[in-house]
Amino acid sequence: MKDRRSPPASIADKPIINPRGEESSSATAFQAMMPKAGVNIKGGAPHSPDAERFCWDMITIDAHLAEIRAYLAGKLKVSVPQWVLISVLEDRGAGEGVSVREVSKCMAVDASFVTTQSKLLEAKGLVRRVQSSTDARVILMSLSQVARDRIEAISGERGSIRDFMFGDLDADTLKTFLKGLAQVRDNISRASRLVSLFPL
């Protein structure tokens, strides 16, 4: 797997051919493509050391969360991606269920991956898959009672983990933090769309 965290120092000077056939730097090309990706820089300090530090902190946080996800997935005897899928259904599974499209968006994966994994979970008796009552083309997923019982069995451990992670933050501080994090999440999603417009 290619490591894209540390691109060559000369990448900003790499020539790119724009739609008009003109040669430009990648930095200029990125700026030109930003509106198409929904990116709109309003100011702030995007190149500050704090912003760079945040990116590295996110990498570290994701590595630690991966360990926690693996532990909880093992408790349910499912794979890590399957545990994430189950968590999405637990969080958003009100009503008839959650569509494949919505789950794929939450997990940032292709819909076909969600379909495959949900069928495996259905075979294990953990997920129900039914057609939408309003659109037969849409498959809605929800947790089975077996899955809910297994989740309930580890609720104490999950609660302790969450308390350990966020217990030092009061309600107002956590709310403010999550609001800012949601904005950063959306911006990162747009940045991901932006880089997908450029071939490696």
Side-chain angles (χ1 to χ4, degrees):
M1 181 180 295
K2 295 183 179 179
D3 187 349
R4 299 181 63 178
R5 293 177 298 177
S6 303
S10 61
I11 191 170
D13 299 320
K14 181 180 179 181
I16 287 182
I17 305 302
N18 64 28
R20 295 189 299 273
E22 301 167 341
E23 189 176 283
S24 62
S25 71
S26 61
T28 302
F30 264 59
Q31 292 171 358
M33 295 296 285
M34 281 180 179
K36 183 178 291 188
V39 178
N40 180 24
I41 297 178
K42 299 179 181 179
H47 304 298
S48 73
D50 287 339
E52 187 68 20
R53 174 62 183 272
F54 174 81
C55 292
W56 285 109
D57 283 346
M58 288 293 288
I59 292 172
T60 302
I61 290 170
D62 183 61
H64 293 315
L65 287 176
E67 294 180 4
I68 295 172
R69 288 193 295 266
Y71 172 79
L72 295 173
K75 287 287 185 176
L76 264 65
K77 302 186 186 306
V78 298
S79 68
V80 172
Q82 288 171 353
W83 165 253
V84 176
L85 195 159
I86 287 172
S87 298
V88 172
L89 296 183
E90 179 192 21
D91 183 63
R92 308 195 176 199
E96 285 189 277
V98 188
S99 69
V100 170
R101 180 179 180 181
E102 184 175 353
V103 173
S104 67
K105 182 178 180 180
C106 290
M107 295 179 65
V109 297
D110 190 78
S112 61
F113 180 81
V114 174
T115 297
T116 299
Q117 296 303 316
S118 63
K119 287 181 177 179
L120 293 173
L121 289 171
E122 183 181 36
K124 293 180 179 181
L126 300 177
V127 166
R128 290 192 296 265
R129 290 166 42 88
V130 298
Q131 285 184 330
S132 168
S133 59
T134 57
D135 189 342
R137 297 170 299 177
V138 176
I139 298 297
L140 299 175
M141 300 171 291
S142 59
L143 296 178
S144 69
Q145 189 58 49
V146 173
R148 296 187 182 281
D149 290 343
R150 292 188 185 180
I151 291 172
E152 178 62 28
I154 63 171
S155 60
E157 290 174 279
R158 293 178 75 193
S160 295
I161 291 170
R162 287 172 179 168
D163 289 345
F164 191 80
M165 290 191 295
F166 300 108
D168 292 336
L169 304 177
D170 60 51
D172 289 338
T173 301
L174 183 58
K175 184 176 181 179
T176 300
F177 169 73
L178 293 177
K179 182 178 179 180
L181 186 62
Q183 181 62 59
V184 173
R185 177 204 62 208
D186 293 343
N187 290 344
I188 291 174
S189 176
R190 295 186 185 100
S192 177
R193 291 201 297 272
L194 176 62
V195 299
S196 71
L197 298 174
F198 292 86
L200 292 175

